[in-house]
Amino acid sequence: MSSSEKNISPLAASVGSVWGVGEERAKLLARLEIFTVEDLLLHNPRRYEDRRKFLPIRDLKEKEPATVRGTIIAAGIKRFQKGARSLFECVFDDGTARLHCRWWQAQAWMPDWYAVGREFLIYGKLDNEKKPRTFTHPETEYCEPGDDEFIHVNRIVPIHPLTEGLTARVMRSIIWRALEKYENELSVAGCKLRVENSVFATPKELLTFNFQPATLPERAAAVRMIHFPEELTDVEFARQRLALDEFVALQFQIQSRRKKFEAFTKALPCGGDNRLMKPFLSALGFKLTAAQANVLKEIRADMGGAHPMRRLLQGDVGSGKTAVAACSALMAIESGFNVALMAPTEILAEQHFRNFSKWFEPLGIKVEIQTGSRKIVSAPLLKSAVRGKPFTFNLQPSTLFIGTHALFTTGFDLPMLGLVIIDEQHKFGVTQREALVRKGNYPHLLVMTATPIPRTLGLTLYGDLDISVIDELPGGRGAIKTFVRTTEKLPKVFEFIREKIASGRQAYIVYPRVDVADTDKDIKAVTKEFANVQKALTGFKVGLLHGRVKAAEKEAVMAEFRANKIQALVATSLIEVGVDVPNATIMLIENAEHFGLAQLHQLRGRIGRGAHESFCILISDALNEESQARLKILEETNDGFKIAEADLKLRGPGELLGQQQSGAMRLRFGNLAEDLNLIRQARELVRKQI
Ligand code: ADP
Ligand code: MG
């Protein structure tokens, strides 16, 4: 055996090494992403059945799912509608009563499988209280004679996620056997987690790092317990242990990546000397809030420090992140470096361009912009961009370069780049972020997001970044009132909007779609509603904005809206990010149930920016309780942090983060909405180790 082979854990062996897993079953398991023995052992059950005692069929109750055990005494197929529909039915008897089980669309294998005389375990619930007692589409398990009965009954048994061709019983048996054979290996093995490919390789130390928190079972015991618990209460205990292992693996990656980053990189001195900051602040027209000033202190310490800054600035919509970005940019520029600012949309890039030009040009700082549709920057640079080669351009230090994400990924190389600011880009993975920044050779990095990040995510997905929070809104803002209403109330709502517009204010009116889709005619679309809104608001000018409007026109519409030449803007969620028009005080969102909570909060953040009172009206006819509960949260609070935590609990991290990151982190046991304490524990454990 070579030395490298010796280091491979036996748990990394293919599932084929488990007795009972041949080529066919290995293929089926692969469909569940189970390739190794370890994958198999960590296949988390989706539920449990207490089979220590079976309920007599006689005692079954409607609405209460239960497991019974019975023998088939009759079975057959019924056909309806000239054979178009078929029903397979069999009758079980357990000595106390009979139970009819039925499946619509009988399958060819059913008569053989559900043969008279065979014994089954049946899990389901009564269709109703009527006789005969009937289960429709129950889950069943054949009690094969000679099978390892002790694995499957007289205990609490796991029901695992399955795939066609693989029964719960087979899955349970092979996991049982894998446990018997490999349990000892688990006690020394570390934990494995598929985390997105990082800039730096996964640390090898992970394989040998072992730890035992006093309050939780050992890893090997936890794995057994998660499949075959003595009591149902053991399951959560075991889950926590296995979740902790996952979080430890994750922290190991995050912390060692950070450590290596600090070891291999040196910071550019960008602390600044205030010579531009002073005139900037006095011309700004307002005083920074205490929260903004605090964050700037943290940023200055980073930019003047030994390692490149990696900081996430989190501040609710309207908290004034742009001013903080401007001050940070000035620090780098004062120190003789250039700065790049990346915005997620062209509208936002244009808005930043306008603001920053107004602020910076009087100070003698050049501000450049390049977006998909606007190419102001010098011709040679563009030519090389077209040829697909990275381009370098000659600018004197003290330029602020603004662009969209697309521009930055086509490859560019800004000389003397001291600071990269990414605005509103919470949907970026670490790798993407680093790839962007590394083009500029480890400049400082400031990522700004208006989506408040629940602490669990701050410590995991954003664990590479230090986090600053602006937790205070500038004063002098009117309050925002939020109401949830049904479409029935729309005429009244438009009446209200007319009044507000007549008194000089402006409104956003948002729909989920650009066009009406054939499949879902109930979801309103801007292109169709535009005419209706114009009618409802006759006498006022209404603008239209969505993803397919050409960029030049978008900018023209926004300019008119800013100048109050347009009083109402019909738009998709395109206006979600960053747009700042203080005179707009009305936000009407139809089909509100089609937006995520965080997204609705973002949209609402477009109003409440001036001194006037603002109104957010969410229209929804959604009847289901979850939708109602979600919208209610918005009515109750303006606190983005509370909303984000609620959203995370209701919808999971995927919605909050976008595919990029949630896909990168498949936790089998950990729960990013609930496990803050475990995550903290993991972080401390790893801190002590490395
Ligand atoms: P966001 O954090 O959502 O990006 P912005 O930076 O767009 O917020 O700021 C929202 C509005 O508040 C802007 O009009 C900005 O000029 C204003 N603003 C920012 N900081 C202050 C402050 N300290 N006092 C008063 N107004 C401020
Ligand atoms: Mg902003």
Short mmCIF file of all heavy atoms in Angstrom, two decimals, residues 318 321-322 348 351-352 423-424 448 450 577-579 606 609, ligand 2:
data_model
loop_
_atom_site.label_atom_id
_atom_site.label_comp_id
_atom_site.label_asym_id
_atom_site.label_seq_id
_atom_site.Cartn_x
_atom_site.Cartn_y
_atom_site.Cartn_z
N GLY A 318 -31.70 52.57 2.74
CA GLY A 318 -31.81 53.96 3.17
C GLY A 318 -30.91 54.34 4.33
O GLY A 318 -30.94 55.46 4.82
N LYS A 321 -25.47 53.78 2.90
CA LYS A 321 -24.25 53.05 2.59
C LYS A 321 -23.42 53.77 1.53
O LYS A 321 -22.19 53.67 1.50
CB LYS A 321 -24.59 51.63 2.10
CG LYS A 321 -25.20 50.78 3.20
CD LYS A 321 -25.47 49.36 2.74
CE LYS A 321 -26.56 49.26 1.72
NZ LYS A 321 -27.89 49.65 2.24
N THR A 322 -24.12 54.50 0.64
CA THR A 322 -23.38 55.16 -0.44
C THR A 322 -22.38 56.18 0.11
O THR A 322 -21.25 56.27 -0.37
CB THR A 322 -24.36 55.87 -1.40
OG1 THR A 322 -25.50 55.03 -1.58
CG2 THR A 322 -23.71 56.12 -2.73
N LEU A 348 -28.46 51.45 -11.47
CA LEU A 348 -27.75 51.77 -10.26
C LEU A 348 -26.36 52.33 -10.55
O LEU A 348 -25.89 53.25 -9.88
CB LEU A 348 -27.65 50.52 -9.39
CG LEU A 348 -27.71 50.81 -7.92
CD1 LEU A 348 -28.97 51.53 -7.55
CD2 LEU A 348 -27.60 49.52 -7.15
N GLN A 351 -26.89 55.84 -11.44
CA GLN A 351 -27.20 56.65 -10.26
C GLN A 351 -25.93 56.96 -9.46
O GLN A 351 -25.70 58.08 -9.06
CB GLN A 351 -28.21 55.91 -9.39
CG GLN A 351 -28.61 56.69 -8.16
CD GLN A 351 -29.72 55.97 -7.39
OE1 GLN A 351 -30.84 55.84 -7.86
NE2 GLN A 351 -29.38 55.47 -6.23
N HIS A 352 -25.10 55.94 -9.30
CA HIS A 352 -23.84 56.16 -8.59
C HIS A 352 -22.96 57.13 -9.37
O HIS A 352 -22.30 57.98 -8.79
CB HIS A 352 -23.08 54.84 -8.43
CG HIS A 352 -23.59 54.00 -7.29
ND1 HIS A 352 -23.91 54.53 -6.07
CD2 HIS A 352 -23.81 52.67 -7.19
CE1 HIS A 352 -24.32 53.55 -5.26
NE2 HIS A 352 -24.27 52.41 -5.93
N ASP A 423 -21.49 46.87 -4.66
CA ASP A 423 -22.73 47.36 -4.06
C ASP A 423 -23.85 46.37 -4.26
O ASP A 423 -24.09 45.89 -5.35
CB ASP A 423 -23.12 48.70 -4.69
CG ASP A 423 -24.27 49.36 -3.94
OD1 ASP A 423 -24.57 48.93 -2.81
OD2 ASP A 423 -24.87 50.29 -4.50
N GLU A 424 -24.57 46.11 -3.19
CA GLU A 424 -25.82 45.34 -3.24
C GLU A 424 -25.63 43.94 -3.81
O GLU A 424 -26.54 43.37 -4.36
CB GLU A 424 -26.87 46.06 -4.10
CG GLU A 424 -27.06 47.51 -3.77
CD GLU A 424 -28.03 47.74 -2.61
OE1 GLU A 424 -28.51 46.76 -2.03
OE2 GLU A 424 -28.28 48.91 -2.29
N MET A 448 -21.17 45.70 -0.05
CA MET A 448 -22.29 46.35 0.64
C MET A 448 -23.59 45.63 0.32
O MET A 448 -23.86 45.32 -0.82
CB MET A 448 -22.41 47.79 0.18
CG MET A 448 -21.12 48.56 0.32
SD MET A 448 -21.38 50.33 0.29
CE MET A 448 -21.90 50.58 -1.39
N ALA A 450 -27.92 45.44 1.37
CA ALA A 450 -29.06 45.96 2.11
C ALA A 450 -29.88 44.82 2.67
O ALA A 450 -30.82 45.03 3.41
CB ALA A 450 -29.92 46.83 1.22
N VAL A 577 -33.31 47.42 -6.30
CA VAL A 577 -32.04 47.81 -5.69
C VAL A 577 -31.71 49.28 -5.85
O VAL A 577 -31.72 49.82 -6.94
CB VAL A 577 -30.87 46.99 -6.26
CG1 VAL A 577 -30.74 45.70 -5.51
CG2 VAL A 577 -31.03 46.77 -7.73
N GLY A 578 -31.47 49.89 -4.73
CA GLY A 578 -30.74 51.15 -4.71
C GLY A 578 -31.37 52.42 -5.22
O GLY A 578 -30.88 53.49 -4.91
N VAL A 579 -32.43 52.34 -6.05
CA VAL A 579 -32.95 53.57 -6.64
C VAL A 579 -33.39 54.55 -5.54
O VAL A 579 -34.03 54.17 -4.59
CB VAL A 579 -34.12 53.26 -7.59
CG1 VAL A 579 -34.81 54.52 -8.04
CG2 VAL A 579 -33.62 52.46 -8.77
N ARG A 606 -37.60 51.65 -1.26
CA ARG A 606 -37.54 52.74 -2.24
C ARG A 606 -38.29 53.96 -1.75
O ARG A 606 -38.09 55.05 -2.24
CB ARG A 606 -38.16 52.32 -3.60
CG ARG A 606 -37.52 51.17 -4.34
CD ARG A 606 -36.05 51.33 -4.49
NE ARG A 606 -35.36 50.42 -3.61
CZ ARG A 606 -34.28 50.70 -2.94
NH1 ARG A 606 -33.72 51.88 -3.04
NH2 ARG A 606 -33.72 49.81 -2.16
N ARG A 609 -37.86 57.85 1.99
CA ARG A 609 -36.52 58.44 1.90
C ARG A 609 -36.54 59.94 2.08
O ARG A 609 -35.50 60.56 2.18
CB ARG A 609 -35.89 58.06 0.56
CG ARG A 609 -35.67 56.58 0.48
CD ARG A 609 -35.04 56.12 -0.81
NE ARG A 609 -34.43 54.84 -0.54
CZ ARG A 609 -33.14 54.59 -0.69
NH1 ARG A 609 -32.34 55.51 -1.14
NH2 ARG A 609 -32.66 53.41 -0.40
MG MG B 2 -27.57 51.80 -1.98
#
